Amino acid sequence: MDNATIGITTRDLSKRLKQTQALSGVSLSFDAGGMHGLIGPEGAGKTTLLRTLIGLLRPDRGEIDYTSDGRSVPLAEIRGRIAYMPQQQSLYADLSVAEHLDFFRALYELPAAEYQGRRRELLHMTRMEQFTGRPAGKLSGGMYKKLGLMCALLRSPRAVILDEPTNGVDPISRREFWELLYGLSARKILIIIATSYMDEAERCSRVHLIESGQRLAEGEPRALLKEEGVDDFDAFFIKRQTDVSHGQR
């Protein structure tokens, strides 16, 4: 179970939030072990979808199927193996990097030996060894995001779901953050990353495009661009909007 691969599939998923139809019949397949980009502009429904995947929200209609090594399982069975990194992280400005790791170790009830090994690995992976005494409130934007990722990864999840993790981060930190994600994906960990940065779509092995709570397309990035006859995903969304306004879709 510890090294089991996790996959998630949604079928006809719909969710209304007050007066907004946040999701409308969304069917997507997040294959186990892949780097999946959930791509769409602000207000597309990305956050609602992610919160529904991890059980924070209950869909009004539709189903979510979870698999562990290809075997259908209930969310309760794998919940502890899924890490979620929200867009607005709940880190404590006055606690240091080390104190955050200690806090989450206690929260996850990790054995001391497992924690020490995991702590060393994560600090090395994020290049944060020299900053363990620095308060979170005094970290740069990129380092703050890395700390959030470390806290999410502390209990060795097999799926990591991230909501706009590079939003507002400088280009160098964005690149470093993606290098961390590639390292996780190489371990067959399912990565689902929501972003409104269209250039990040091409960094993924598979993308899922949504807009106004509806599925537009999903597949391998270059194949989708070729099929649509465009060079990038900014142009993809513009072309789709133009086609819809002209009644072609």
Side-chain angles (χ1 to χ4, degrees):
M1 176 65 181
D2 283 354
N3 293 317
T5 58
I6 292 175
I8 304 175
T9 301
T10 73
R11 292 200 301 270
D12 197 30
L13 211 62
S14 294
K15 180 65 181 178
R16 189 174 186 84
L17 299 175
K18 296 183 178 179
Q19 302 304 312
T20 302
Q21 188 67 44
L23 300 174
S24 182
V26 176
S27 296
L28 299 171
S29 180
F30 302 100
D31 298 331
M35 173 82 79
H36 296 264
L38 183 61
I39 313 299
E42 293 295 328
K46 300 187 299 295
T47 296
T48 300
L49 178 59
L50 296 187
R51 290 177 177 174
T52 305
L53 293 181
I54 62 171
L56 289 178
L57 294 175
R58 182 171 296 179
D60 300 327
R61 189 180 74 245
E63 298 179 348
I64 307 176
D65 294 329
Y66 304 90
T67 60
S68 175
D69 277 347
R71 176 177 59 92
S72 182
V73 295
L75 175 59
E77 183 173 324
I78 59 170
R79 190 188 299 274
R81 310 301 287 168
I82 300 177
Y84 174 56
M85 187 173 165
Q87 186 174 357
Q88 301 298 329
Q89 298 180 58
S90 300
L91 302 180
Y92 301 95
D94 56 338
L95 292 186
S96 68
V97 170
E99 288 169 334
H100 272 93
L101 294 176
D102 288 344
F103 172 77
F104 279 92
R105 177 249 172 164
L107 182 67
Y108 298 148
E109 299 181 338
L110 296 179
E114 178 183 346
Y115 168 65
Q116 290 301 328
R118 192 69 176 140
R119 182 183 188 274
R120 284 193 299 270
E121 179 187 11
L122 291 171
L123 287 171
H124 177 72
M125 182 177 73
T126 57
R127 303 173 188 171
M128 294 275 282
E129 300 103 318
Q130 305 302 315
F131 305 100
T132 55
R134 184 173 296 184
K138 294 186 178 180
L139 295 175
S140 67
M143 293 171 67
Y144 188 90
K145 297 283 188 175
K146 287 180 181 179
L147 175 56
L149 182 62
M150 280 196 293
C151 293
L153 296 177
L154 200 55
R155 57 178 174 177
S156 302
R158 296 302 300 166
V160 181
I161 297 177
L162 309 104
D163 191 0
E164 305 265 9
T166 58
N167 188 28
V169 174
D170 66 88
I172 293 177
S173 294
R174 281 178 66 191
R175 185 178 68 243
E176 291 179 341
F177 198 91
W178 273 95
E179 289 174 356
L180 293 174
L181 296 184
Y182 289 140
L184 296 175
S185 183
R187 303 180 188 181
K188 300 301 181 182
I189 295 173
L190 171 65
I191 309 291
I192 303 176
I193 176 170
T195 180
S196 55
Y197 290 131
M198 297 300 160
D199 62 299
E200 293 189 334
E202 295 182 56
R203 297 175 180 264
C204 302
S205 58
R206 188 173 176 84
V207 292
H208 313 266
L209 311 181
I210 65 171
E211 187 173 33
S212 301
Q214 297 182 320
R215 173 191 182 275
L216 294 183
E218 64 179 347
E220 191 274 325
R222 299 309 304 176
L224 285 179
L225 294 177
K226 182 178 180 180
E227 180 182 334
E228 201 70 17
V230 294
D231 295 327
D232 55 48
F233 282 97
D234 282 308
F236 184 103
F237 277 91
I238 291 172
K239 186 174 186 295
R240 283 293 178 117
Q241 291 169 351
T242 302
D243 288 347
V244 170
S245 66
H246 292 166
Q248 296 178 21
R249 294 187 186 272

